[in-house]
Amino acid sequence: MAFEKFSSDNALKFGWNTMRSNIGFFIAFLVVLLLISLAFGYVEESVKADKLIARIIDIISWCVNSLLTIGIIKIILSFCDEEKAEFADLFSGFDFLFKYMVAWVLYVLIILGGLILLIVPGIMWAIKFQFFGYLMIDQRLEPIDALKESARITQGIKGDLLLFSLLLAAINIVGALCLLIGLFATIPTTRSEERRVGKECRSRWSPYH
């Protein structure tokens, strides 16, 4: 199957325009995520002397972070579909939580296996399988099927996606250098750019529509 060529220019434009059109939503969104992160950091610091409770808090934190990641993916897909994103979506992924966590563990194991094989395979496999969460939520695929489909839709563009990921990291570093305030513009922009990447790759999983 011939795939549409990936365009970083289109992704950058989409990210910037989406950020400008929804700046209020993104700022509030980042503040909420920051507050949740600070709350867990405070709790973890408070109980670190008790190893058992600390481990329980770590597990709870992993579950909450997974739930938030699912919510972020739902919001990303809403923007891809040019629909209005809702804060409620951030906490609406309970039905996907267990399967997503299983897929995430498999994804991490794949990357670790690749890193053991002289680093480069791990990096490329991280790119190759990165869309498993989008596929599980958008197409309701099982963990293994989502990983396989992510491998399929990234055929021929893994190098482009790697360079694009480095570009997004550089943009956020610039935002951090601007006394962190710039992150309120660069993070929404880069997250929106990832939405565009998802939108372009989404056209590649059309057999599942």
Side-chain angles (χ1 to χ4, degrees):
M1 176 184 292
F3 287 145
E4 178 183 354
K5 181 176 176 58
F6 170 73
S7 171
S8 59
D9 289 341
N10 288 341
L12 287 167
K13 291 176 183 177
F14 181 84
W16 177 253
N17 291 334
T18 302
M19 183 276 292
R20 288 197 309 167
S21 301
N22 301 274
I23 185 63
F25 175 88
F26 282 124
I27 290 177
F29 177 74
L30 290 176
V31 169
V32 169
L33 292 181
L34 177 61
L35 291 175
I36 293 173
S37 177
L38 290 175
F40 268 103
Y42 175 78
V43 172
E44 289 171 356
E45 184 67 22
S46 301
V47 302
K48 66 179 182 180
D50 189 318
K51 292 184 178 180
L52 176 59
I53 295 179
R55 297 291 80 78
I56 293 173
I57 295 299
D58 286 340
I59 293 172
I60 294 174
S61 177
W62 179 36
C63 292
V64 171
N65 285 330
S66 297
L67 181 66
L68 292 175
T69 300
I70 294 169
I72 290 170
I73 291 174
K74 285 190 171 186
I75 291 172
I76 286 173
L77 293 172
S78 293
F79 278 108
C80 286
D81 290 334
E82 300 181 354
E83 298 175 351
K84 183 179 179 180
E86 301 287 348
F87 270 106
D89 290 337
L90 193 58
F91 307 98
S92 64
F94 286 99
D95 52 336
F96 294 100
L97 184 57
F98 178 73
K99 289 183 179 180
Y100 177 85
M101 293 173 72
V102 170
W104 185 86
V105 169
L106 293 174
Y107 179 65
V108 170
L109 290 175
I110 290 171
I111 294 173
L112 289 176
L115 292 176
I116 292 173
L117 298 175
L118 302 177
I119 307 293
V120 174
I123 296 174
M124 298 312 296
W125 290 350
I127 297 295
K128 180 178 182 179
F129 297 107
Q130 66 177 308
F131 293 110
F132 73 90
Y134 294 84
L135 288 153
M136 290 183 68
I137 294 163
D138 190 49
Q139 301 299 321
R140 294 185 174 273
L141 298 184
E142 296 296 317
I144 297 297
D145 292 332
L147 289 165
K148 289 181 179 179
E149 181 62 4
S150 180
R152 187 186 73 84
I153 66 175
T154 54
Q155 289 177 17
I157 61 170
K158 285 187 283 293
D160 293 329
L161 291 173
L162 174 59
L163 292 176
F164 187 70
S165 296
L166 294 175
L167 175 60
L168 298 189
I171 291 173
N172 283 323
I173 289 173
V174 171
L177 292 175
C178 295
L179 300 179
L180 298 181
I181 297 175
L183 289 174
F184 281 98
T186 59
I187 289 180
T189 298
T190 53
R191 294 298 294 184
S192 296
E193 287 159 4
E194 292 172 2
R195 292 174 177 85
R196 176 64 187 186
V197 174
K199 188 172 185 177
E200 292 197 11
C201 286
R202 202 178 189 189
S203 66
R204 293 169 168 237
W205 66 64
S206 57
Y208 286 88
H209 284 300

